[in-house]
Amino acid sequence: MRELKPFLRDLRRERGRLVLGTLLLIVSLAASIGLMGLSGWFITATAVAGLTGAYLDIYRPSAGIRFFALARSISRYFERLVHHDAVLRTLARLRGWLFRTLAPLPLARVGRLRRSDLLNRMTADVEALDNLYLRIVGPSLAAVVTLAATVTVLVLLAGPAGLAVGAVLLAGGLVLPLWAWRRGSPHGEAVDRHLPALRGAGVDAVQGLAELRACGAVARHEQRLMAAADGLAAARSRAARLTGAGEGAVGLLAHGALLAALVAGIPLYHAGTISGPLLALVALAALAAGEALTTLPGAWQHLGRTRAAARRLLEHADAAPDTAAPPSEGPPRQALGLALEGVTFRHEAHLPPVLRDCSLALAPGETVVIHGPSGCGKSTLLDLAAGLTRPESGTVILGGVPVAQLPEAERFARITYLTQRTELFADSVAGNLRIADPHADEARMWRALHTAGLEERVRAAPRGLDEWIGEGGGRLSGGEARRLALARLVLVDAPVVLLDEPFRGLDDATATQVARRLAPWLAERTALIISHDPESVPAHDRRVPFLELVTPGGE
């Protein structure tokens, strides 16, 4: 259980809400038991009074029944409200922690995780931890307190009958969660195997549909997708059957407690130790006490999956980056030289090289445009220059130092890279800009937006910098999203700039305007720009056809 300790410690930050929610849950359970027991006593006492003609005060029991009914409804409503508020706050904090944990890791390490794996950790694994308190810790504590109080009251009222009820509930309360945990762990592990596989196959089917069709592999991939879906459905079906069995076992346990109350209570009734109405109270309270255990088998059934999710989330928590810390001073502002010397690269060992013995040198402060047809390997050249990819042979040198020898944090303090993909978050304009510089003030953000040609669009928005852009920038056009990513790059203010098709998605007039505004900023830096249309890029010192960099036969 060691893997759960960090998450249990984190719950302390919500201890006020969790304690209040648990107390409300106890009140709700106690009210249910009191309602059932008092109702049984009142109905039986009314019947006895009708047969014997004895006087019965009906007002106080009626008030008690109404009180328990209202207390149960109100406490249950506020218990759900308080508990879910606390748990949702915890899960939101956990997602932020996970993002902050993954963000500084070396890209080579993060790159080993598929997008579907990252999605699974950010969603399914984090959500699995709501089972920890909402369904295991809180209800288990409430069940212990409620049953202890109920059995104590029944012992005081009926002696041996209360002890018999307590023995049955104690045995069942210990056995059922343990049984559900043991039996449910394999099903949880099966769900954990099939869910990432299904998500991965689904992502591949959507993002790689064109390649699957081109290779004639759609049917084979569909079989893989359906196998993962069938496996997940089967695992969930087995888990559902176990949940049903657990609920049935709780019902049997509650009726077992009722039987124990009657077996132990009837002799007491015949001996005149307890009255008939009191026997009915004990029997029905024992039956209602089973409600405190209703959710436990289903929750403990998923403890194995919760533990597995916790282990996966902790994989990177204590992982120290395999690079040195960034330099204490800020990133160097002077322009740096950039060079590729005899670089050869291929994507797979059995494929021909994309680059072969490629050499290119940029002097400090020089802007160079590489142009060529789409798909020839220009983006790979930028990935190599940024250090995202290691060459098969040759060296990439930044400021006189091989890129491979630079700590990752220092490398990204010196290089800023606009890739072809425009990655935006469901946040405001300012929120997306501050990814580049969390301390950027509004004046700097407006200057960056002006440089990227987006200032007028943002000023016209009702909320300005606080305008919400939607999931993945969905409320922006493709060109606006591209310019926002470009403004974010400007805020980084690194001495070396890599731009991959910077004006993709922009019309000619907008591209010309942005190129004119971007040129003075690039003039102070070393810039390598990739474009299939060299006429649309900012002012530059020279152009190099990509095919001239590639030795014949290496395209």
Side-chain angles (χ1 to χ4, degrees):
M1 296 289 185
R2 289 193 302 271
E3 63 273 5
L4 297 179
K5 289 182 179 179
F7 304 103
L8 289 171
R9 284 196 297 268
D10 184 65
L11 286 173
R12 295 175 185 171
R13 301 175 65 174
E14 303 294 335
R15 58 182 175 271
R17 291 182 177 85
L18 295 175
V19 169
L20 177 58
T22 302
L23 290 175
L24 289 168
L25 180 56
I26 292 171
V27 170
S28 173
L29 293 173
S32 295
I33 297 170
L35 177 62
M36 182 72 82
L38 184 56
S39 297
W41 179 91
F42 186 52
I43 293 171
T44 306
T46 303
V48 171
L51 291 173
T52 62
Y55 171 75
L56 177 66
D57 178 9
I58 65 172
Y59 296 105
R60 282 184 289 182
S62 298
I65 290 172
R66 289 186 176 89
F67 169 77
F68 284 133
L70 290 173
R72 181 180 66 169
S73 300
I74 294 172
S75 59
R76 181 161 296 180
Y77 171 79
F78 283 102
E79 177 267 323
R80 297 292 175 87
L81 189 67
V82 173
H83 260 162
H84 282 80
D85 178 55
V87 172
L88 290 174
R89 288 172 183 268
T90 301
L91 296 185
R93 191 166 56 248
L94 180 57
R95 285 193 173 93
W97 164 82
L98 180 60
F99 188 85
R100 289 191 300 272
T101 299
L102 292 173
L105 291 178
L107 289 175
R109 184 167 185 172
V110 177
R112 289 196 291 269
L113 294 172
R114 299 183 60 188
R115 288 194 172 199
S116 55
D117 293 328
L118 291 172
L119 175 63
N120 198 63
R121 296 191 187 197
M122 291 291 289
T123 55
D125 284 350
V126 171
E127 289 168 3
L129 288 172
D130 74 356
N131 195 54
L132 183 59
Y133 192 88
L134 201 59
R135 296 180 177 86
I136 296 179
V137 178
S140 297
L141 290 174
V144 169
V145 173
T146 304
L147 294 181
T150 300
V151 171
T152 300
V153 172
L154 294 182
V155 169
L156 293 175
L157 292 175
L163 290 175
V165 171
V168 173
L169 293 177
L170 175 62
L174 292 175
V175 171
L176 283 181
L178 182 61
W179 168 80
W181 175 23
R182 296 295 188 185
R183 293 293 303 273
S185 291
H187 306 322
E189 292 171 0
V191 170
D192 277 345
R193 287 196 307 273
H194 292 296
L195 183 58
L198 178 62
R199 283 182 166 166
V203 170
D204 290 345
V206 173
Q207 294 185 343
L209 182 59
E211 290 79 1
L212 291 172
R213 284 182 172 175
C215 298
V218 173
R220 186 168 66 252
H221 190 79
E222 182 181 359
Q223 292 176 355
R224 175 189 164 203
L225 184 65
M226 294 309 298
D230 292 342
L232 180 61
R236 285 179 168 171
S237 177
R238 291 191 294 270
R241 288 197 294 271
L242 182 59
T243 300
E247 293 175 353
V250 170
L252 289 176
L253 176 65
H255 285 82
L258 169 64
L259 180 61
L262 293 175
V263 169
I266 289 175
L268 297 176
Y269 169 72
H270 285 303
T273 306
I274 62 175
S275 64
L278 185 57
L279 176 58
L281 183 151
V282 173
L284 291 179
L287 179 64
E291 182 181 348
L293 301 173
T294 301
T295 61
L296 297 189
W300 283 81
Q301 168 189 340
H302 297 290
L303 179 59
R305 187 182 176 199
T306 301
R307 294 179 63 192
R311 284 193 293 269
R312 283 191 296 271
L313 292 175
L314 291 173
E315 281 181 4
H316 302 292
D318 301 321
D322 55 8
T323 56
S328 57
E329 68 275 5
R333 294 292 182 245
Q334 71 276 13
L336 301 174
L338 177 67
L340 286 76
E341 298 181 350
V343 169
T344 297
F345 175 82
R346 71 185 79 217
H347 292 292
E348 300 289 346
H350 63 280
L351 296 177
V354 178
L355 298 173
R356 177 182 294 164
D357 196 26
C358 172
S359 296
L360 175 69
L362 282 74
E366 185 180 20
T367 297
V368 175
V369 174
I370 305 294
H371 61 93
S374 298
C376 63
K378 301 187 302 298
S379 297
T380 301
L381 179 68
L382 288 190
D383 288 344
L384 289 163
L388 303 183
T389 303
R390 298 290 178 89
E392 179 181 311
S393 62
T395 308
V396 180
I397 298 176
L398 175 64
V401 181
V403 166
Q405 297 179 12
L406 286 173
E408 191 170 88
E410 185 173 340
R411 174 158 45 94
F412 285 128
R414 298 169 181 267
I415 296 177
T416 183
Y417 182 11
L418 181 70
T419 63
Q420 282 199 31
R421 292 180 61 89
T422 303
E423 303 287 359
L424 299 176
F425 292 87
D427 202 341
S428 64
V429 173
N432 276 273
L433 290 175
R434 286 197 172 105
I435 293 172
D437 183 356
H439 305 292
D441 56 23
E442 290 194 2
R444 285 193 62 209
M445 287 191 283
W446 283 119
R447 285 197 297 271
L449 290 170
H450 175 79
T451 301
L454 198 60
E455 179 186 12
E456 295 81 1
R457 164 69 173 82
V458 176
R459 287 194 184 277
R463 301 182 63 190
L465 290 172
D466 293 325
E467 185 73 10
W468 190 261
I469 67 169
E471 182 72 29
R475 299 182 65 179
L476 303 176
S477 69
E480 290 169 346
R482 191 65 172 166
R483 283 179 282 165
L484 181 56
L486 185 60
R488 188 168 60 195
L489 173 136
V490 170
L491 273 178
V492 175
D493 199 25
V496 177
V497 180
L498 307 177
L499 302 177
D500 193 348
E501 300 288 357
F503 303 144
R504 181 171 56 86
L506 275 63
D507 59 75
D508 292 343
T510 303
T512 301
Q513 179 195 55
V514 175
R516 185 172 63 252
R517 294 183 180 182
L518 195 62
W521 183 80
L522 288 177
E524 302 173 2
R525 293 158 179 81
T526 304
L528 181 58
I529 305 173
I530 295 297
S531 177
H532 67 278
D533 180 12
E535 301 301 329
S536 64
V537 297
H540 47 277
D541 298 297
R542 57 190 172 106
R543 300 179 186 175
V544 179
F546 178 79
L547 297 181
E548 289 185 5
L549 300 174
V550 183
T551 302
E555 298 181 21

